[in-house]
Amino acid sequence: MAKIGAKKTTGWKATISVAMANYIEAGSIIAAASSLTMWQAYLHLDSIAVGLLSALSANAFGAAIGALFGGYLCDKYGRKFIYTYDLLAYMLGVLLIAVSVNFPMLLVGTIITGIAVGAGVPASWTYIAEEAPADKRAAHVGTAQLAWSTGPAITFLLAVLLAPLGLLGSRIIFIHLLIIAFITWYIRQGLSESAIWKEGKAQEAKEGNKNNKGVLKALLSLKPNREALFLLIGIYLFWNLTAGAMGYFMPYIYQNVGGLTGTQANLLQVLLWSLTVATTYFVFMKLGDKFSRRTLFGIGAIMGIAAWLILTFTGMNWFSLFAFVILWGCAAGFGAQAFYGLWASELFPTKYRAGAQGIMYFLVRLGIAIWSFILPTVMDKLGFKTAGIVMLVFLAIHCVIGILLAPNTNGKTLKQIEEERFGSSKANKGKAVS
């Protein structure tokens, strides 16, 4: 199957084709989010069913399971292995959602889609970072963030344009994702394997794999890995407990708490994600390799906290809604997800770079799954203000961790970073420098 496809895919074309995993991931989440109210009405779903769909989706536990296995397979069989098969499963999942006529069909399609999305994400960030020039790694990794932001902007716009068609419009949106996935899968068949991964595998074979540790054991036993886990899970989990819930529930909140129409809610999200696209390109991609990443991260984190302070304590009027959308939309472009994708690819050795990301992504999405399952009930029973305060606590924790522990990796090759953190060749032998 690897021989199927277009001519060899290299350079920025390769980066973009790999980054499309993030367009597909975010597009899947938003396609579900923008149609959640319609599915709820069509299938007569209660809050438990709504929470279950969210918890098992590409936004949460489905993606968590996919990432856990995808990261392991990516390190064992190569980055290209994932790109050969993950989107085939994805296409099956979104097709099943598009033709769903009952809750079991919708749920099974949601789970398959989530698993396929999760499998591709660690491979995406890993491959891009490994193939990028050292002095342009943030720019290249930022392409994944750009795709992740463009997916929701386009999907919400489609939701507005297709709103007169009702649920049929939502089905068409999922078909659009299927078509994008097929084109991306076809182009990816021309990708070459990661050069760093091949070099690492050759070295392992030469050494006879005598000192190999399992990924989880290596992550927990080596101090540099433990430090990286605390930083990365700290910023990505706590930011995503807010952002992940927003990704799935924000249109639902706009409509059920703010009293907006479906069209108004979706247009607000188009504006929000368009701002994220802009700041991803003009701030993260343009400045991430040149200026202090700690400073950029801190500015984005504080803007995100300000956005939720306004939304939580001033009520949902048009002033607060626009202020929230502008602050959060801009902050998300150079926020925790962009830096997580960059640092997660820099701070671990090649031999288990994707596996480490898979484990972290699993833990983060598991956390989102639990929170997403609880959130509708929290808003029903305790009100939106209580939910907003919880979101603010999450954001404050991620802000402090990121500002205090941001690493200085600008302009360094992945090999340089590995040697600084683990010592020359010691990362491959399971020993960290003291």
Side-chain angles (χ1 to χ4, degrees):
M1 186 171 291
K3 293 182 180 179
I4 298 174
K7 53 189 174 182
K8 195 171 180 68
T9 305
T10 59
W12 275 104
K13 185 178 179 181
T15 296
I16 292 169
S17 71
V18 172
M20 287 303 292
N22 294 269
Y23 178 99
I24 289 165
E25 175 200 11
S28 302
I29 296 169
I30 301 311
S34 62
S35 61
L36 187 58
T37 302
M38 288 184 284
W39 284 112
Q40 186 178 27
Y42 173 64
L43 297 175
H44 307 292
L45 305 179
D46 58 19
S47 61
I48 299 296
V50 170
L52 193 61
L53 281 172
S54 176
L56 296 176
S57 69
N59 194 43
F61 194 65
I65 292 294
L68 189 63
F69 288 101
Y72 169 78
L73 293 173
C74 188
D75 283 332
K76 186 174 180 62
Y77 297 110
R79 297 17 175 163
K80 185 174 171 59
F81 174 84
I82 298 296
Y83 299 138
T84 304
Y85 300 106
D86 68 323
L87 290 184
L88 296 176
Y90 176 85
M91 286 185 272
L92 173 63
V94 292
L95 179 61
L96 191 57
I97 294 173
V99 300
S100 290
V101 294
N102 54 50
F103 180 67
M105 287 181 69
L106 181 63
L107 184 62
V108 171
T110 296
I111 293 171
I112 293 173
T113 301
I115 291 173
V117 161
V121 170
S124 169
W125 283 327
T126 296
Y127 186 91
I128 292 172
E130 288 178 348
E131 294 292 291
D135 60 345
K136 295 181 179 178
R137 195 158 48 243
H140 280 255
V141 172
T143 306
Q145 177 71 8
L146 192 67
W148 186 80
S149 308
T150 303
I154 292 176
T155 304
F156 273 121
L157 183 59
L158 287 174
V160 172
L161 296 175
L162 297 173
L165 299 180
L167 193 56
L168 175 60
S170 175
R171 297 181 192 274
I172 292 172
I173 291 172
F174 280 102
I175 293 296
H176 126 270
L177 290 171
L178 187 153
I179 294 170
I180 295 293
F182 176 77
I183 295 170
T184 303
W185 173 83
Y186 182 79
I187 295 172
R188 282 180 178 181
Q189 304 318 298
L191 288 171
S192 58
E193 185 53 84
S194 163
I196 293 178
W197 180 83
K198 288 193 294 185
E199 181 183 328
K201 279 296 178 183
Q203 184 66 29
E204 285 182 37
K206 184 177 179 181
E207 295 176 354
N209 297 317
K210 293 180 181 178
N211 296 301
N212 269 356
K213 292 185 176 184
V215 178
L216 186 58
K217 186 175 181 180
L219 290 177
L220 296 179
S221 64
L222 303 181
K223 183 179 178 182
N225 285 337
R226 293 196 300 270
E227 292 172 346
L229 286 174
F230 184 80
L231 164 67
L232 294 167
I233 293 177
I235 64 169
Y236 199 45
L237 172 61
F238 287 104
W239 180 81
N240 245 305
L241 288 173
T242 296
M246 282 180 60
Y248 201 88
F249 284 113
M250 213 60 215
Y252 181 86
I253 292 171
Y254 288 149
Q255 294 175 66
N256 288 274
V257 179
L260 275 62
T261 66
T263 298
Q264 290 172 330
N266 288 334
L267 282 173
L268 273 180
Q269 292 298 85
V270 171
L271 174 60
L272 185 152
W273 287 106
S274 297
L275 291 170
T276 302
V277 170
T279 53
T280 297
Y281 182 75
F282 289 107
V283 179
F284 187 77
M285 294 177 68
K286 292 293 187 182
L287 305 181
D289 292 303
K290 301 174 182 177
F291 293 95
S292 167
R293 292 171 179 172
R294 185 192 304 272
T295 300
L296 291 177
F297 175 90
I299 293 171
I302 292 169
M303 287 173 64
I305 292 172
W308 270 92
L309 281 170
I310 291 170
L311 193 67
T312 301
F313 293 106
T314 64
M316 285 198 187
N317 52 65
W318 281 110
F319 171 80
S320 64
L321 286 172
F322 275 116
F324 170 79
V325 163
I326 291 169
L327 282 169
W328 183 270
C330 290
F334 55 104
Q337 176 152 299
F339 281 102
Y340 169 84
L342 180 63
W343 290 334
S345 298
E346 292 179 332
L347 300 182
F348 298 104
T350 301
K351 65 184 294 184
Y352 49 80
R353 180 171 291 125
Q357 290 187 53
I359 291 171
M360 290 188 295
Y361 200 83
F362 172 83
L363 294 173
V364 169
R365 293 296 170 176
L366 179 61
I368 297 172
I370 295 170
W371 177 232
S372 296
F373 185 73
I374 296 172
L375 181 57
T377 303
V378 171
M379 289 192 294
D380 284 347
K381 303 297 183 183
L382 301 177
F384 173 74
K385 187 173 183 178
T386 299
I389 292 172
V390 175
M391 303 282 202
L392 280 164
V393 172
F394 293 152
L395 291 175
I397 293 171
H398 112 279
C399 178
V400 172
I401 292 174
I403 291 175
L404 290 180
L405 300 180
N408 179 21
T409 52
N410 295 52
K412 299 174 183 177
T413 67
L414 294 179
K415 286 186 177 181
Q416 283 178 297
I417 297 169
E418 187 171 323
E419 289 180 2
E420 286 180 6
R421 292 175 56 75
F422 297 90
S424 180
S425 302
K426 289 186 179 181
N428 290 328
K429 297 180 181 178
K431 299 177 182 177
V433 290
S434 58

